[in-house]
Structures are given as C-alpha cells and as structure tokens.
Amino acid sequence: MSVEEFDVVVAGGGPGGSTVASLVAMQGHRVLLLEKEAFPRYQIGESLLPSTVHGICRMLGVTDELAAAGFPVKRGGTFRWGARPEPWTFHFSVSPRITGPTSFAYQVERARFDEILLNNARRKGVVVREECTVTGVLEEGERVTGLRYTDPDGDQREVSATFVIDASGNKSRLYSQVGGTRNYSEFFRSLALFGYFEGGKRLPAPYSGNILSVAFDSGWFWYIPLSDTLTSVGAVVRREDAEKIQGDQEKALKALIAECPLISEYLSDARRVTSGKYGELRVRKDYSYHQTSFWRPGMILVGDAACFVDPVFSSGVHLATYSGLLAARSINSVLGGDIDEKTALTEFEARYRREYGVFYEFLTSFYQMNVNEDSYFWQAKKVTNNQHTEIESFVDLVGGVSSGEAALTPADRIVERSAEFSAAVDQMAGGDEDSMVPLYKSQVVKQVMQEAGQEQMRAVLGEDAEPELPLFPGGLVTSPDGMKWLPYHPA
C-alpha cells in the first residue's frame, strides 16, 4: 500500500476540523482533511457566538459569505430562568469587547454553515476528501504518524503526517488513541429530545432572532429561530427524568411542551416538521464530558473529540472553532521551527481547558433556580476574574470573549476604537488648551487606563501595540496576526 505524505491530516470536516485545516494551510503547509459523510449533512447545534462570527470566521475569510447567507441575526439571548417569573434579555452590545456594529451572531442551519467552512478550506488549499472513514492511527513508538482510512470505493488507504487532528466529534472512537479517559460530568447527566417546527412565534423585534431558553419543572427548553418560519425546539431533561422521553417520542415531546406554558404559547399555531432532514425527532445524551488528555506526540483533539459542555449558552461551535485556532497556532509554530511541540501543545491544552472550564464552572451555578439574573452576573465575574462589571463579565463569557484574546475581538471594533484614540491624540497635539479633555473622554483611553494592560492596548492598536501578556504564568503569547505562538519577553 502506498502511503501519501502531508504535514497535517485532519479527521472530521465540521467547524473544528475545517478551522484548524484552513488556518494551517494558510501558512503554506500541506493539509489533508478526511470527512466520513458527504456535505451538506445534518448536524445539531445551530446557535453561534460573536467570537466565532467576528473572530474565527474573520480570520478564515468567510464573514462576507455568512452575511450574504441570510441567517437570522442573534443580538443576545432571552431567558425565562431563575427566580424572576418574567423573561429577561441580555444584549451582546453590553460587552466592551463586542459592542459596536458587530455585536451580534447568527442562528444557522448547520448543514449550510458547515458547508461554507468546508468549501472555504478547499479554497485555502486544503485537500478535502468526503465519504472517507478513518479506521485507525499509524504509530511509531510513542508518536502518532498518520491515519488509516477507507475511501468511497471501499479501499483501505494510509496517510502519514507530522500531526494528526481528531475533529471527528463525540461519536467517533478515534479520540481514545490519544490516551487518558473520557470523564462524564455527574452534574450534567442530561438528555435532550428535539425536533423542528414551522410557524412558531417570534420574540419582539429587534430581538426576534434571539435564542429563547425556558426553564420548567423537568428541565429546560431551547427555542432557536432558523428562518422566519423554521424553529429548532428541544427539551433538556435530567437523567432522573429520562422516562419522560422514552417510548413514543412524539407523545413525549408534546407532553414536555405542555409542561412549559411559554413554549406552549410560542408553538400554539405551529406544526412539527415530519419530512426531510428536519423531519426526525432526535435524542442526545451525556451532554458534558472531557478527555483527561487533549494531545500526545503527533496527535491533537479539537472540538467534541476533546470535550463538550451543557449547551444552554450555545458554546459548542465556539469551543470547536476556538480549539481549532489554538491547535493551528501550535502546529504552525512547530512546523515553522519557532516553538517545540511540548511547549506549543501545553499552551494549546491550557487555553482550551480554561475556556471549557469557565463555561462548566459558570453553568453549575446557572442551574440554581432560586436566584435572579443579578446573581448569575456576579458569578460570571467571579468565574472569569474579569475587570469589567458583573453584566459585562456575563456577556463576555456567553459571547465567547472572556479570554480577552485579540483574535476573537471584532475587527470593526478595533478599527473604531483606534480611530477614536487617534483623533483624540491628534487634537491634543494641536496645542488646544483643552486638548486633554477629548483624550480623557475617549472610552478607549479610559478603558486602557483602568485595565492598565498590554493586552487591551493591543486590542485597540493591533500590530503597533506592545505584545500581550501570557494567559498563564510562564506561558506563550500570540503573534500579531493570531496565527502562531510567540515566547513572552517582558519589557
């Protein structure tokens, strides 16, 4: 059997796989992506975060394509949750890291969104092969050196690579080759029963595109508008209530909807889709887990292959694409001879676990139903160790930008703030006796002075700023273009 050679081979063509493949190929490396299905294909997880749309997708170069796709605009989230009997809404624009013309995300049909990212990977130079099933890894001693796979004709193939990426999702067993164990959360042992409806009601404008999350006695509902008429509706129930979704799933979903007055109201004139790709009622279980090892020499886990957390804040695609970015930085740095593999992948795992951990820790407190939203906001500030206010910390977290990474900051926001800063400095240089007033009125300067951080200044001034600070003691920082790691050299 002839063995093809690439720098990187990726198993899985979802958002995590296409992200890491594209970002590595954009650095001139040879990348092969193997996907077991033919796109477009159905996938759960329709709600995106601003960090994905305006951070990762900006780096990938698909923001214009997403804007043209006509996906519903998501400006925040609406909850009937906690002690307050009325629904409450948060807005992405509250966060200083998101506010501005890009303070939104999208609700997407994953079949279309994932295909956009995979086709973009092809344009970036990735060799994409669909209907190819990965069957195992190639090894030399402790190192993974490639993959075995079956092509569309049923023939067995082998490919060697410096790095193997497992982005094959939660159902594949490939992740076990990295070592360690998959630990499931005892707190989030939940099940979800979900389907799709036509004709459901919408929240009032301009928040008609928001996700609506509604707690009820048996768990909680998601209600996600995918178009003017199509809605994804799912009930998440606790493991001890598993009998409520057993048996006739149609009757089970109707009974759960009847338990929740607000969802019943929104679906009062709707009908469930019963044909086509959205016609099936589906069940998913074991919502939260993490692998004890995210990498071994030559192999890296991204997305659901590494971890997943309860989806109440729609973090799935964010964690997948962010981990793809982190893995790409590590690979680009190693292949470029800049950083050794252990140092680069230690940074990858630390940042990925931090992001997963922030969502996990916050969500354990979010399931306290005897408090109001102010308590949730306070807990978000505590979990993220954020310098912003409680509500700003909450939106930073659920918007996917609590890490403070400049790469996840919308480009338009950086440009806007840079212009404000420059205008204030220009006026001060003009010699006006009141020249210091506009400078200190500038929100940019206020925030920079308050946080006194190189990281925030870099978010404002881009490549002209001082290097950012490491996220962890002794850790690495990102290159100005966000594509590699750099050693940190304090001034």
Side-chain angles (χ1 to χ4, degrees), residues 6-7 30 50 57 70 99 113 160 167 196 199 244 253 263 271 283 297 421 432 446 481-482:
F6 286 84
D7 295 313
R30 299 166 300 154
C57 288
T99 189
F113 175 75
S160 69
Y196 296 81
K244 292 191 175 186
L253 185 57
I263 296 298
R271 63 173 182 84
V283 174
F421 184 88
D432 186 342
K446 285 182 180 179
D481 62 2

Short mmCIF file of all heavy atoms in Angstrom, two decimals, residues 6-7 30 50 57 70 99 113 160 167 196 199 244 253 263 271 283 297 421 432 446 481-482:
data_model
loop_
_atom_site.label_atom_id
_atom_site.label_comp_id
_atom_site.label_asym_id
_atom_site.label_seq_id
_atom_site.Cartn_x
_atom_site.Cartn_y
_atom_site.Cartn_z
N PHE A 6 1.60 14.17 4.12
CA PHE A 6 1.14 15.54 4.32
C PHE A 6 1.80 16.07 5.60
O PHE A 6 2.32 15.31 6.41
CB PHE A 6 -0.39 15.60 4.46
CG PHE A 6 -1.14 15.41 3.17
CD1 PHE A 6 -1.41 14.13 2.69
CD2 PHE A 6 -1.56 16.50 2.43
CE1 PHE A 6 -2.10 13.94 1.51
CE2 PHE A 6 -2.25 16.33 1.24
CZ PHE A 6 -2.52 15.04 0.78
N ASP A 7 1.73 17.38 5.77
CA ASP A 7 2.18 17.95 7.04
C ASP A 7 1.16 17.67 8.14
O ASP A 7 1.52 17.37 9.28
CB ASP A 7 2.39 19.45 6.91
CG ASP A 7 3.51 19.81 5.94
OD1 ASP A 7 4.59 19.18 6.04
OD2 ASP A 7 3.31 20.68 5.08
N ARG A 30 0.98 21.60 3.93
CA ARG A 30 0.16 20.64 3.18
C ARG A 30 -0.81 19.95 4.14
O ARG A 30 -0.38 19.29 5.07
CB ARG A 30 1.06 19.61 2.50
CG ARG A 30 2.05 20.19 1.49
CD ARG A 30 3.11 19.16 1.13
NE ARG A 30 3.85 18.74 2.33
CZ ARG A 30 4.45 17.56 2.45
NH1 ARG A 30 4.38 16.66 1.48
NH2 ARG A 30 5.11 17.25 3.57
N PRO A 50 -20.65 35.59 19.05
CA PRO A 50 -19.90 36.62 18.32
C PRO A 50 -18.43 36.28 18.12
O PRO A 50 -17.84 36.65 17.11
CB PRO A 50 -20.08 37.87 19.21
CG PRO A 50 -21.38 37.65 19.90
CD PRO A 50 -21.43 36.17 20.17
N CYS A 57 -14.23 33.37 12.19
CA CYS A 57 -14.66 33.43 10.79
C CYS A 57 -14.03 34.61 10.05
O CYS A 57 -13.83 34.55 8.83
CB CYS A 57 -16.19 33.48 10.70
SG CYS A 57 -16.97 31.91 11.14
N GLY A 70 -28.06 35.02 4.69
CA GLY A 70 -29.41 35.29 5.18
C GLY A 70 -29.76 34.63 6.49
O GLY A 70 -30.95 34.46 6.80
N THR A 99 -19.14 45.41 21.79
CA THR A 99 -20.04 46.49 21.44
C THR A 99 -19.66 47.17 20.14
O THR A 99 -18.48 47.30 19.81
CB THR A 99 -20.12 47.52 22.58
OG1 THR A 99 -21.16 48.45 22.30
CG2 THR A 99 -18.81 48.30 22.72
N PHE A 113 -23.96 26.15 7.21
CA PHE A 113 -22.80 26.80 7.84
C PHE A 113 -21.56 25.93 7.71
O PHE A 113 -20.48 26.41 7.32
CB PHE A 113 -23.11 27.07 9.32
CG PHE A 113 -21.94 27.62 10.09
CD1 PHE A 113 -21.54 28.94 9.95
CD2 PHE A 113 -21.24 26.81 10.98
CE1 PHE A 113 -20.46 29.44 10.66
CE2 PHE A 113 -20.17 27.30 11.71
CZ PHE A 113 -19.78 28.63 11.54
N SER A 160 0.56 9.50 5.96
CA SER A 160 1.47 9.89 7.04
C SER A 160 1.47 11.40 7.17
O SER A 160 1.25 12.12 6.19
CB SER A 160 2.89 9.38 6.77
OG SER A 160 3.47 10.06 5.67
N ALA A 167 -10.89 15.67 14.82
CA ALA A 167 -12.01 16.59 14.91
C ALA A 167 -13.28 15.85 14.49
O ALA A 167 -14.17 16.40 13.87
CB ALA A 167 -11.79 17.81 14.01
N TYR A 196 -38.12 20.02 14.94
CA TYR A 196 -38.20 21.31 14.25
C TYR A 196 -39.66 21.61 13.92
O TYR A 196 -40.44 20.72 13.59
CB TYR A 196 -37.35 21.27 12.97
CG TYR A 196 -35.88 21.08 13.27
CD1 TYR A 196 -35.36 19.82 13.54
CD2 TYR A 196 -35.02 22.17 13.36
CE1 TYR A 196 -34.02 19.63 13.86
CE2 TYR A 196 -33.68 22.00 13.68
CZ TYR A 196 -33.19 20.73 13.93
OH TYR A 196 -31.87 20.55 14.26
N GLY A 199 -43.84 27.75 11.70
CA GLY A 199 -44.91 28.65 12.10
C GLY A 199 -44.91 29.07 13.56
O GLY A 199 -45.91 29.62 14.04
N LYS A 244 -39.36 10.29 30.83
CA LYS A 244 -40.26 11.23 30.15
C LYS A 244 -40.00 11.32 28.65
O LYS A 244 -40.83 11.87 27.91
CB LYS A 244 -40.14 12.63 30.77
CG LYS A 244 -40.68 12.70 32.20
CD LYS A 244 -40.81 14.12 32.67
CE LYS A 244 -41.46 14.16 34.05
NZ LYS A 244 -41.73 15.55 34.50
N LEU A 253 -42.58 14.50 23.46
CA LEU A 253 -42.29 15.92 23.22
C LEU A 253 -43.53 16.77 23.45
O LEU A 253 -43.44 17.86 24.05
CB LEU A 253 -41.76 16.12 21.80
CG LEU A 253 -41.30 17.54 21.46
CD1 LEU A 253 -40.23 18.02 22.44
CD2 LEU A 253 -40.78 17.62 20.04
N ILE A 263 -43.35 27.98 26.16
CA ILE A 263 -43.10 27.27 24.90
C ILE A 263 -44.41 26.84 24.26
O ILE A 263 -44.56 26.90 23.03
CB ILE A 263 -42.17 26.07 25.14
CG1 ILE A 263 -40.80 26.55 25.62
CG2 ILE A 263 -42.02 25.23 23.87
CD1 ILE A 263 -40.05 27.43 24.63
N ARG A 271 -46.65 23.78 13.54
CA ARG A 271 -46.74 22.34 13.26
C ARG A 271 -45.32 21.78 13.19
O ARG A 271 -44.40 22.43 12.71
CB ARG A 271 -47.47 22.08 11.94
CG ARG A 271 -46.77 22.65 10.72
CD ARG A 271 -47.45 22.20 9.43
NE ARG A 271 -46.72 22.74 8.27
CZ ARG A 271 -45.64 22.16 7.74
NH1 ARG A 271 -45.16 21.04 8.28
NH2 ARG A 271 -45.04 22.70 6.69
N VAL A 283 -32.71 12.24 19.84
CA VAL A 283 -32.34 12.24 21.25
C VAL A 283 -30.82 12.31 21.34
O VAL A 283 -30.11 11.65 20.58
CB VAL A 283 -32.84 10.98 21.98
CG1 VAL A 283 -32.30 10.94 23.42
CG2 VAL A 283 -34.36 10.94 22.00
N PRO A 297 2.21 13.08 21.53
CA PRO A 297 3.09 13.44 20.42
C PRO A 297 2.50 13.04 19.06
O PRO A 297 2.15 11.88 18.84
CB PRO A 297 4.37 12.65 20.73
CG PRO A 297 4.39 12.57 22.22
CD PRO A 297 2.96 12.39 22.61
N PHE A 421 -9.08 56.84 19.34
CA PHE A 421 -7.82 57.13 20.02
C PHE A 421 -6.97 58.10 19.21
O PHE A 421 -6.45 59.10 19.72
CB PHE A 421 -7.06 55.82 20.25
CG PHE A 421 -5.79 55.97 21.04
CD1 PHE A 421 -5.81 55.90 22.42
CD2 PHE A 421 -4.58 56.17 20.41
CE1 PHE A 421 -4.64 56.04 23.16
CE2 PHE A 421 -3.41 56.29 21.13
CZ PHE A 421 -3.44 56.24 22.51
N ASP A 432 -4.36 72.86 21.54
CA ASP A 432 -5.52 73.44 22.18
C ASP A 432 -5.38 73.32 23.69
O ASP A 432 -5.01 72.28 24.21
CB ASP A 432 -6.77 72.70 21.69
CG ASP A 432 -8.06 73.32 22.19
OD1 ASP A 432 -8.02 74.10 23.16
OD2 ASP A 432 -9.11 73.03 21.59
N LYS A 446 -9.95 55.62 28.62
CA LYS A 446 -10.47 55.27 29.93
C LYS A 446 -10.27 53.79 30.22
O LYS A 446 -9.81 53.40 31.29
CB LYS A 446 -11.96 55.61 30.00
CG LYS A 446 -12.26 57.10 30.15
CD LYS A 446 -13.75 57.30 30.27
CE LYS A 446 -14.10 58.78 30.42
NZ LYS A 446 -15.56 58.98 30.51
N ASP A 481 -0.75 38.48 14.10
CA ASP A 481 -1.80 38.02 13.19
C ASP A 481 -2.63 36.89 13.78
O ASP A 481 -3.57 36.40 13.15
CB ASP A 481 -1.21 37.58 11.84
CG ASP A 481 -0.25 36.41 11.97
OD1 ASP A 481 -0.06 35.89 13.09
OD2 ASP A 481 0.33 36.02 10.94
N GLY A 482 -2.31 36.45 15.01
CA GLY A 482 -3.08 35.41 15.67
C GLY A 482 -2.83 34.01 15.18
O GLY A 482 -3.51 33.07 15.62
#
